[in-house]
């Protein structure tokens, strides 16, 4: 973006939605050669303001500087930029654009769709046709949809039109819809005496208050042989094979509606682009959609069985994105994303590697993100070591794409994918293999070596300068190569390598225990082996095979059942466990559940300090262990906010590479949470119904007992931990009172044991 030549652009900064606006180049930099001052060579980019930053909309036009902002664009702010690559090193001027609502009603577009809500051009007589009109300033109004059969060949419509059916559709969220049963077209042609209408041309008109029609182009609908209408001779001697109730009654004579008076198409009459206003100040406009002929067209698949067609068709269509054609765009791990997210992945991959490669690259990119986000595909995923997001951006890599880690963590999946694209765009030509794709994330200077199995990525035997510790050194060579080996034990694939524990001299922490061989190496083949076996191949079984709409997938509830350790905790709370009455029980039951250090006191005993009597971690471990799931074996509260197992050696706890839990940046029922000061751990079970700023927490050692607490959300870290082996549903938090979970339960606040 630094090599630009545009000096100044101008145009309407407050265009009305639905109206075309053109931007111009007014001046050029003086150093720009005259031969290059050609608007036809300029690329125009459109950016949209999201969370205070302008992000690409992926709308760009070469030579054409005209834009039309859609129905709801007035709610957003945009920026238009013009680019012309040359060696001048100048930055382009930009115009900030704020679209304005249109002050007239308008039907912007009419589209035909199959019953599964995918756009259609060729239909079969056995299915339904959905007509959909996009509108402005018509919310809550009714539109008249009319389906016609057209005897005139090619484009345009004439007085030979045969009316098939009419339907009303109410405008909701800027869209009106109507359904037509296409078998009626067969019956109409049979009545007219048509002998063999294997192909029929159709179009749909849409009217608002009888002032203007919006028509689709002719759409050809193929007649299946088994329901071809009878011949003329058959109609004289045999009854029609179709139900009588479906035969349209003869229409009484009436004054022709504007739809019936429809003349030539927009192309034929060359309507002026300016709006035409009649004496009643009602504005009308044209819109058309195109179709193709295909005699082999088969009916579209019906909606999923668990959803009725009525339910499917009543779902408002997104105004910002089109329907996802999921069956045609399958890729690894697709089932883990929403429709909008799947489409975004495909869009990014198409823009980086081409339309023909998008599905293959989507599978590879999803495998990389599956690894980097610890299988969550969360844009807020954070490893607590300075890396965040879908591809674990560092502070430096976030800055390289024009953002920060903090900003990226607040983005949605779709928003962050634009920055993922920017990151890969820098070296996309060198990304020949899936391993190269991952190497750009893992170790940039190794990109291009993805097919070189014996290339060494990390090597513990290399020397580093003997200097005072500087954490910034660790992100530079040769520190990356040396310490990358011990820091990435999951790539230890040689025989006995991962299981080998040795004392390792850390640059920052002195002597610690780590996995791997002395002066070991990480090879490209090891990274490839992990990537393929643990992240790519399993993703093949995670295609999305259904149909979907442009809305986030709702999280399911597991038949109203909570994670099993929550039920165990509720049962313990009902026993009214208190230190003053159940000290032995706490020691023999909760403390005995921990493997590393078994406490022998509880707070009610004399000389029982916090260090040897705290039992909040023991209670959590008991509930998890009793439920049959993985748990943190150490009683220390601080370790329950860590995913890694903690062991103790000579009394000192240390983290291992083995995982007991999985971290989520969204709170779910049953998640293990931890105080900000790392001094208490407990189980989150809901949001306080009487104070939405508080969580309801169920845990041990909560004012010397097992209690339900209400506590400010700011009290806990903004994440929760689930056992790594938990495969049940993640249930969103709901507003509750403790009595909703246990009839006799009481709600306490910290420090209140009344």
């Amino acid at each position: 973006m630094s090599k630009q030549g545009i000096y100044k652009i101008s145009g309407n900064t407050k265009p009305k939605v639905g109206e075309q606006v053109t931007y111009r180049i007014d001046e050029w930099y003086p150093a720009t050669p005259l031969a290059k001052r050609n608007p036809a060579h300029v690329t125009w980019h459109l950016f949209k303001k999201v969370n205070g930053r302008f992000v690409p909309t992926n709308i760009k036009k070469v030579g054409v500087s005209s834009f039309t902002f859609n129905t709801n664009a007035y709610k957003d702010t945009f920026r238009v930029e013009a680019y012309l690559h040359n060696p001048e090193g100048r930055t382009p001027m930009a115009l900030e654009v704020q679209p304005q609502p249109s002050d007239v009603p308008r039907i912007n577009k009419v589209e035909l769709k199959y019953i599964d809500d995918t756009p259609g051009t060729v239909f079969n007589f056995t299915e339904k046709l959905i007509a959909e009109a996009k509108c402005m300033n018509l919310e809550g109004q009714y539109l008249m949809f009319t389906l016609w059969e057209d005897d005139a060949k090619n484009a345009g419509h004439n007085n030979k039109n045969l009316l098939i059916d009419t339907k009303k559709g109410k405008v909701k969220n800027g869209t009106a819809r109507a359904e037509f049963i296409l078998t009626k077209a067969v019956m109409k042609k049979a009545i007219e005496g048509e002998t063999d209408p294997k192909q029929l041309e159709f179009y749909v008109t849409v009217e608002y208050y009888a002032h203007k029609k919006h028509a689709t182009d002719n759409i050809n609908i193929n007649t299946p042989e088994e329901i071809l209408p009878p011949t003329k001779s058959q109609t004289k001697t045999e009854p029609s094979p179709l139900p009588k109730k479906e035969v349209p009654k003869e229409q009484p004579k009436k004054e022709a509606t504007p739809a019936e008076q429809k003349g030539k198409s927009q192309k034929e009459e060359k309507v002026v682009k300016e709006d035409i206003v009649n004496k009643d100040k009602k504005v009308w406009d044209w819109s058309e959609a195109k179709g193709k002929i295909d005699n082999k067209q088969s009916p579209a698949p019906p909606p999923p069985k668990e959803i009725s067609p009525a339910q499917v068709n009543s779902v408002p269509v997104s105004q910002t994105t089109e329907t996802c054609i999921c069956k045609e765009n399958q890729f690894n791990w697709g089932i883990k994303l929403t429709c909008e997210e799947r489409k975004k992945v495909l869009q990014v991959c198409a823009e980086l590697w081409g339309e023909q490669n998008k599905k293959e690259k989507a599978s590879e990119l999803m495998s990389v993100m599956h690894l980097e986000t610890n299988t969550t595909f969360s844009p807020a995923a954070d490893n607590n070591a300075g890396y965040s997001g879908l591809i674990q951006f560092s502070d430096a890599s976030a800055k390289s794409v024009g953002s920060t880690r903090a900003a990226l963590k607040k983005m949605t999946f779709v928003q962050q994918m634009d920055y993922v694209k920017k990151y890969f765009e820098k070296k996309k030509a060198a990304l020949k293999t899936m391993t190269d794709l991952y190497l750009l994330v893992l170790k940039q200077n190794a990109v291009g070596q993805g097919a070189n199995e014996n290339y060494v990525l990390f090597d513990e035997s290399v020397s580093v300068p003997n200097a005072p510790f500087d954490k910034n050194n660790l992100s530079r060579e040769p520190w990356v190569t040396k310490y990358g080996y011990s820091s990435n034990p999951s790539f230890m694939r040689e025989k006995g390598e991962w299981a080998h524990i040795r004392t390792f001299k850390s640059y920052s922490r002195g002597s610690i225990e780590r996995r791997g061989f002395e002066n070991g190496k990480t090879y490209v083949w090891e990274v490839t082996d992990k990537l393929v076996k643990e992240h790519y191949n399993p993703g093949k079984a995670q295609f999305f095979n259904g149909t979907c709409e442009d809305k986030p997938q709702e999280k399911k509830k597991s038949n109203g059942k909570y994670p099993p350790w929550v039920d165990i905790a509720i049962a313990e709370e009902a026993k009214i466990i208190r230190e003053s009455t159940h000290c032995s029980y706490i020691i023999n039951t909760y403390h005995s559940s921990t493997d590393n250090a078994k406490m022998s006191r509880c707070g009610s005993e004399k000389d029982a300090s916090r260090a040897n009597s705290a039992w909040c971690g023991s209670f959590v471990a008991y509930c998890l262990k009793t439920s049959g799931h993985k748990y943190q074996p150490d009683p220390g509260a601080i370790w329950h906010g860590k995913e890694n197992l903690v062991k103790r050696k000579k009394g000192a706890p240390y983290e291992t590479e083995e995982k007991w839990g999985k971290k989520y940046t969204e709170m779910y029922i049953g998640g293990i949470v931890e105080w900000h000061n790392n001094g208490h751990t407990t189980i989150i079970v809901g949001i306080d119904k009487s104070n939405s700023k508080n969580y309801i927490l169920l845990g041990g050692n909560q004012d010397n007992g097992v209690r339900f607490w209400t506590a400010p959300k700011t009290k806990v870290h903004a994440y929760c931990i689930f056992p790594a082996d938990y495969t049940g549903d993640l249930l969103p938090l709901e507003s509750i009172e403790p009595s909703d979970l246990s009839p006799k339960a009481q709600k306490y606040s910290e420090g209140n044991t009344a």
Side-chain angles (χ1 to χ4, degrees):
M1 292 176 66
S2 61
K3 297 180 179 181
Q4 308 298 328
I6 306 304
Y7 176 62
K8 184 179 180 182
I9 61 176
S10 64
N12 188 356
T13 58
K14 293 188 176 181
K16 291 183 178 180
V17 294
E19 295 181 359
Q20 190 179 77
V21 58
T22 301
Y23 297 95
R24 303 177 300 278
I25 301 169
D26 288 342
E27 299 178 39
W28 302 80
Y29 283 119
T32 306
L34 292 176
K36 290 190 175 182
R37 300 185 185 192
N38 186 349
H41 297 160
V42 175
T43 300
W44 296 83
H45 289 250
L46 187 66
F47 296 79
K48 180 179 177 180
K49 198 169 189 178
V50 178
N51 295 328
R53 298 180 60 84
F54 284 101
V55 299
T57 62
N58 298 312
I59 296 175
K60 57 184 179 181
K61 301 181 179 182
V62 179
V64 179
S65 59
S66 298
F67 295 88
T68 302
F69 295 92
N70 289 330
T71 309
N72 293 323
Y74 68 87
K75 300 176 182 178
D76 299 304
T77 301
F78 298 84
R79 189 173 72 195
V80 177
E81 291 185 2
Y83 295 78
L84 178 66
H85 292 280
N86 61 53
E88 296 178 30
R90 302 298 184 97
T91 301
M93 292 290 288
L95 281 181
E96 194 165 301
V97 180
Q98 179 60 65
Q100 303 297 304
S102 175
D103 54 2
V104 294
R106 175 174 293 172
I107 303 174
N108 287 334
K109 180 182 180 181
V110 181
E111 189 173 39
L112 303 183
K113 293 187 173 185
Y114 298 113
I115 192 63
D116 64 358
D117 233 14
T118 57
T121 55
V122 184
F123 294 78
N124 188 290
F125 271 125
T126 63
E127 57 191 331
K128 289 183 180 180
L129 163 71
I130 299 174
E132 185 175 273
K134 303 286 187 181
C135 314
M136 287 193 303
N137 296 332
L138 288 172
E139 195 66 23
Q141 301 296 325
Y142 284 92
L143 306 184
M144 180 64 73
F145 291 78
T146 307
L147 175 66
W148 305 83
E149 189 274 322
D150 185 11
D151 276 346
K153 294 182 179 180
N154 303 319
H157 318 295
N158 60 20
N159 57 8
K160 291 187 177 181
N161 302 333
L162 178 64
L163 187 151
I164 304 300
D165 201 0
T166 59
K167 296 284 180 71
K168 280 187 178 181
K170 189 175 183 179
V171 180
K172 296 180 181 179
N173 299 319
T175 303
R177 292 158 63 91
E179 283 186 12
F180 294 99
I181 299 173
L182 296 181
T183 50
K184 289 187 177 182
V186 182
M187 293 186 295
K188 282 278 188 178
K189 295 304 290 183
I191 292 172
E192 292 290 312
E194 183 77 36
T195 58
D196 191 18
K198 291 185 178 180
Q199 291 185 354
L200 304 176
E201 292 185 342
F202 286 79
Y203 62 94
V204 175
T205 59
V206 182
E207 301 166 305
Y208 165 61
Y209 287 135
H211 283 289
K212 185 62 179 178
K213 307 162 294 297
H214 295 261
T216 64
D217 256 359
N218 293 339
I219 301 294
N220 286 277
I221 303 180
N222 296 328
T223 310
E225 294 296 333
E226 60 269 23
I227 63 163
L228 284 177
T231 63
K232 284 186 179 180
S233 59
Q234 288 174 327
T235 56
K236 292 179 181 179
T237 58
E238 299 177 27
S240 170
L242 298 171
K244 278 188 176 182
K245 63 178 181 179
E246 293 288 349
V247 179
K249 296 179 180 180
E250 185 178 350
Q251 299 290 331
K253 291 184 178 181
K254 60 178 181 178
E255 184 179 351
T257 68
E260 292 167 327
Q261 296 172 351
K262 184 181 186 307
K264 297 179 180 180
S265 71
Q266 180 185 17
K267 292 179 182 178
E268 293 171 309
E269 63 182 6
K270 298 181 180 178
V271 174
V272 229
K273 291 185 178 179
E274 285 81 8
D275 295 335
I276 302 174
V277 185
N278 67 12
K279 61 183 180 181
D280 296 323
K281 304 299 181 185
K282 297 293 184 182
V283 181
W284 43 280
D285 188 28
W286 277 93
S287 181
E288 293 186 347
K290 296 181 179 180
K292 294 181 180 180
I293 299 174
D294 184 357
N295 293 337
K296 298 179 181 179
Q297 177 67 19
S298 58
K305 291 182 179 180
E306 65 271 17
I307 303 177
S308 71
Q311 289 174 310
V312 172
N313 290 326
S314 65
V315 177
V317 178
S318 167
Q319 297 297 299
T320 57
T321 53
E322 295 178 355
T323 304
C324 177
I325 310 174
C326 303
K327 291 187 177 181
E328 297 179 8
N329 293 324
Q330 296 171 336
F331 55 86
N332 291 23
W333 300 111
I335 199 170
K336 298 293 184 179
L337 306 181
T338 66
C339 178
E340 186 180 13
E341 290 167 350
R342 282 190 290 273
K343 289 170 63 182
K344 187 64 177 182
V345 170
L346 288 166
Q347 175 191 330
V348 165
C349 291
E351 291 171 355
L352 286 173
W353 296 290
E355 187 71 23
Q356 69 279 13
N357 300 316
K358 69 178 183 181
K359 286 192 280 186
E360 175 188 351
K361 287 298 182 182
S363 290
E364 294 180 0
L365 180 56
M366 287 291 288
S367 301
V368 169
M369 294 193 295
H370 185 259
L371 189 161
E372 288 297 281
T373 62
N374 196 20
T375 75
T376 66
F377 295 106
S378 169
D382 192 301
N383 73 346
N384 294 318
Y387 298 88
S388 310
L390 296 171
I391 57 172
Q392 293 294 279
F393 289 96
S394 64
D395 289 326
S397 58
K399 184 178 180 180
S400 74
V401 294
S403 188
T404 64
R405 282 204 303 126
L408 289 166
K409 287 174 67 174
K410 294 178 181 178
M411 294 180 186
T412 64
F413 181 99
V414 172
Q415 290 169 340
Q416 197 178 117
M417 278 301 298
D418 286 324
Y419 293 88
V420 171
K421 176 192 169 187
K422 282 186 179 182
Y423 185 81
F424 285 109
E425 203 164 26
K426 297 180 294 185
K427 291 191 176 183
K428 66 177 182 179
L431 307 178
K432 304 297 184 183
T433 67
M434 179 171 62
T435 304
D436 280 320
L437 200 68
Y438 183 57
L439 290 179
L440 186 58
V441 175
L442 180 67
K443 194 171 189 246
Q444 290 193 29
N445 60 9
V447 171
Q449 300 292 337
N452 186 355
E453 293 185 353
N454 295 317
Y455 182 85
V456 177
L457 295 170
F458 304 119
D459 185 352
E460 197 172 275
S461 67
V462 303
S463 299
V464 295
N466 186 17
F469 173 65
D470 179 0
K471 66 178 182 179
N472 294 321
N473 279 340
L474 299 180
S475 63
R476 299 197 296 266
E477 294 292 4
W479 287 269
V480 170
T481 294
K482 183 176 182 66
Y483 294 106
Y485 174 74
S486 61
S487 299
N488 291 280
S490 62
F491 299 132
M492 296 176 180
R493 320 293 275 192
E494 296 180 72
K495 186 176 180 180
E497 188 177 22
W498 188 85
H500 184 72
I501 307 292
R502 71 305 185 358
T503 300
F504 172 77
K505 187 177 181 180
S506 168
Y507 190 83
S508 60
R509 297 164 57 188
S511 295
I512 58 174
E513 287 193 339
R514 284 292 178 93
R515 296 186 182 278
F517 300 139
E518 193 77 23
N519 295 326
K521 296 178 176 61
T522 300
Y523 298 93
V524 162
W525 73 262
E526 293 177 290
V527 172
T528 301
D529 190 64
K530 177 179 177 63
L531 190 59
V532 171
K533 291 181 179 178
E534 297 180 19
H535 303 282
Y536 184 82
N537 287 345
K540 293 178 181 179
Q542 300 293 322
F543 279 13
F544 184 85
N545 292 313
T547 56
C548 62
E549 292 126 14
D550 288 336
K551 62 179 182 179
Q553 293 176 339
E554 295 181 0
K555 292 181 172 62
K556 298 181 296 182
K557 222 175 181 182
S558 183
N559 299 322
K561 297 179 181 178
Y562 296 118
W565 58 90
V566 174
D567 294 328
I568 292 169
I570 292 172
E572 291 300 300
E573 189 277 337
K575 297 176 183 177
I576 314 179
I577 305 296
R578 302 289 185 266
E579 289 178 356
S580 59
T581 56
H582 290 75
C583 187
S584 296
Y585 182 85
I586 291 169
I587 294 170
N588 297 331
T589 305
Y590 304 150
H591 284 332
S592 294
S593 298
T594 57
D595 301 334
N596 288 347
K598 292 181 172 61
M599 304 287 190
S600 58
R601 305 283 184 92
C602 68
S604 62
E605 295 178 299
K606 291 182 179 181
D607 302 324
S609 66
R610 176 185 175 87
N612 64 17
S613 66
W615 52 282
C616 60
S618 297
F619 178 78
V620 169
Y622 166 78
C623 294
L624 292 171
K625 186 176 183 179
T626 306
S627 72
H629 286 286
K630 287 188 175 182
Y631 60 98
Q632 181 60 278
D634 197 273
I638 186 174
W639 306 120
H640 287 76
K642 309 280 188 180
E643 296 174 303
N644 290 22
L645 280 170
V646 171
K647 296 290 180 68
R648 286 180 182 254
K649 183 178 182 181
K650 296 180 181 179
Y654 66 94
E655 289 185 69
T656 70
E657 298 297 337
E658 187 177 353
K659 302 280 189 182
W660 78 273
K662 183 186 296 186
K663 182 176 291 186
Y664 295 90
T665 53
E666 185 175 345
M667 296 297 189
Y668 299 106
I669 297 173
I672 310 305
V673 296
E674 187 177 37
W675 255 215
H676 264 300
N677 65 4
N678 300 323
H680 181 62
T681 185
T682 183
I683 303 170
I684 187 169
V685 292
I687 298 171
D688 192 337
K689 189 181 291 185
S690 59
N691 183 358
S692 62
K693 293 182 179 180
N694 282 16
Y695 288 134
I696 296 294
L697 305 166
L698 174 56
N701 202 18
Q702 296 192 168
D703 285 315
N704 305 324
V706 177
R707 304 176 188 267
F708 284 100
W709 260 1
T710 177
K713 294 178 180 178
T714 54
K715 191 88 173 180
V716 303
H717 286 299
Y719 58 82
C720 66
I721 304 284
F722 272 72
D725 58 355
Y726 178 63
T727 58
D729 295 326
L730 295 173
L731 310 179
L733 297 183
E734 298 176 347
S735 295
I736 64 166
E737 292 293 342
S739 57
D740 294 333
L741 303 182
S742 181
K744 296 182 180 180
Q746 297 184 51
K747 179 172 65 178
Y748 299 88
S749 57
E750 187 175 7
N752 176 10
T753 59

